[in-house]
Amino acid sequence: MQLEIRNLTKRYDQKRGLTPTSFDVHKGELIAIVGHNGAGKSTLLKMLANWIVPDGGTVVMEGVDFKNRAAVVREIGFIPEVPNLFDFFSVEYNLRLFAALSRAPLSRVEDILGEFNLLPFRKSKVQALSKGLMQRVNIGRALLADPPLLILDEPTSGLDFEMTREIYRLLNVMHEAGKTIIFTSHRPEEIRNLATRILVLHEGTLVFDGPPQEYFQSEIHERLYAS
Amino acid sequence: MMKNILLLALNDLAIAYKNKTFFLILFIPLFVFVSLSLVDGNNTPASTIKIGLIQDDAYTPEFINSIKASSELVVVTWVRNEQDGIRLLKEHQIDGMLIANSDASGRLTLQVVKKDAFHTIAIVQSFSALQKTAQGTSPDWIANISSLNQGGVQRETLPTWILMLVLLIGFIILPAQVAEEKEKRLLLALLQTPIHEVQWLIAKLILGMVLIITAVLLLHLLGKFGPVHLFDYIVLILVGSYCFSAYGICLGFLCRNQASARTLGVIFYLPHLLPSAMSDVSQKLTAIAPFLPSFQLYEPLQSILLEDGRMADMAFDWIYLFLLGTLMFYFSYRLMKRRWLM
């Protein structure tokens, strides 16, 4: 078992947030979290990424509580929906900065630039890149420390078909490399093609946890996409 | 077309409301009104003047009698000699010292800390009125005014410029930079690495201190002014830049975006700058200014730069600045740990 989530809670108001939620994540799983806007998907991911302080509950990764941020931070790579890079600096500068702060060897920067086809853009300022390229840099940045767990918040949101396919390819490569991946999505085909397990959130409550086959035959899927 | 313009204008107004620009619009006139009401008007009651007289100097009987007759207006402190009087002036125990000229003409030299301070004006006005009442002649008791602050207007205004620079960086530049890192989620990205929150805060403190020290250094180089007690001055600038950098970082944490940070920055900048910088020209502001942290920087700046003061005599000021900076640093840390408005 890689991740134990117990009664994780965050309330913004009566409807928004996450009610006490518990589930486990096993090594090598590729989990899709689905639900309507405001269902609590991003809140859940941001709590796992330490972006939001939970109101209650615990997250333990191989025996280490997430409250001990320093102990687990190198084990998690979080890729937010909107790339958060120093956009007035170059791609290479960003990767070198985060490599240094993540205590990753600088050779990882070259590896990432190569793996993500970013070599032609290494000197380009991030603000001059397309959203797809920015997202590639963003994913590359998250992989600098080679974390075993990757968390992606709507990784293909706003991307064109080609870039979406590229992100799918990268997710598959990372999954085959043994990484555990949790991502949120609104796209049924994305969930069907990628996920090995699906969690459905509705108004902050976990209402489904099971394999994709079961999910696509369930009433929950029908209701989710009918409404 | 008009509908679109109206819609866009309403949208801009809504944005101005959301990012608190409206607070600025309300705050600035309100602050100016309050400040103007605090600046001494024509009907301000005369305050008591604390004047030093030298024991062995030959003051005219008319002068001494006039002072005795106006004991509610003038409080006299007899000093042994000029040096003793200058010491009391530096310690702000007296507002001025009257020295009798050696030619026995009865004319006096007024020794003050600063020529253009309201104390100096008050002394000259009071003694002119006394002489007119006593002798009915045009005032000529005070024939000369000598200031402890040497170097002219350029040097005398230096503490104000330095205070302005420190507050500008502390309240306008730093909060906006912190808020930008929050707004663009860059701070959260940095917190995805093993850095500790305190490390990020210290880095921001260093940025603020480097900016302040560079600006102050440049001002000195361009003006070719230097303090007599350089070490004391460096310590004061370090403590002051620490305090106001920490203050600015804390303000940045209270804002979600740059626009809010700029607004909040101005709201803090003006009340810290004006009462301290204008304390020399108003009795009321002199009474209010000591409650502001900016005054705890401004007063030692004046003392070190203009009166050759020493840090040892200003222990309260720099300990106050250091403690306030540390308190602000701690608040920033708590807000950062709570991921406040991130």
Side-chain angles (χ1 to χ4, degrees), chain A residues 49-51 53 69 73-74 76 78 84-88 98 101-103 141, chain B residues 180-181 184-186 188-197 337-339 342:
Chain A
N50 229 318
W51 276 31
V53 181
R69 189 184 70 84
V73 73
R74 289 184 87 252
I76 308 159
F78 179 53
N84 55 345
L85 298 153
F86 287 93
D87 53 9
F88 33 83
F98 282 96
L101 292 173
S102 305
R103 298 177 210 144
R141 191 259 312 269
Chain B
E180 184 186 15
E181 285 198 24
K184 292 183 173 175
R185 306 274 197 269
L186 293 168
L188 287 167
L190 292 170
L191 291 174
Q192 289 300 120
T193 68
I195 65 160
H196 195 276
E197 283 88 350
K337 284 294 269 186
R338 292 187 63 184
R339 305 286 189 264
M342 288 191 198

Side-chain angles (χ1 to χ4, degrees), chain B residues 205-251:
Chain B
L205 262 186
I206 291 171
L207 167 75
M209 290 173 75
V210 166
L211 290 177
I212 288 170
I213 290 164
T214 306
V216 171
L217 187 66
L218 196 62
L219 199 60
H220 280 285
L221 289 174
L222 291 173
K224 293 176 185 152
F225 303 126
V228 174
H229 304 296
L230 185 63
F231 177 75
D232 295 45
Y233 186 60
I234 291 170
V235 172
L236 177 67
I237 293 295
L238 282 174
V239 175
S241 60
Y242 165 75
C243 173
F244 288 100
S245 297
Y247 207 146
I249 293 166
C250 192
L251 289 186

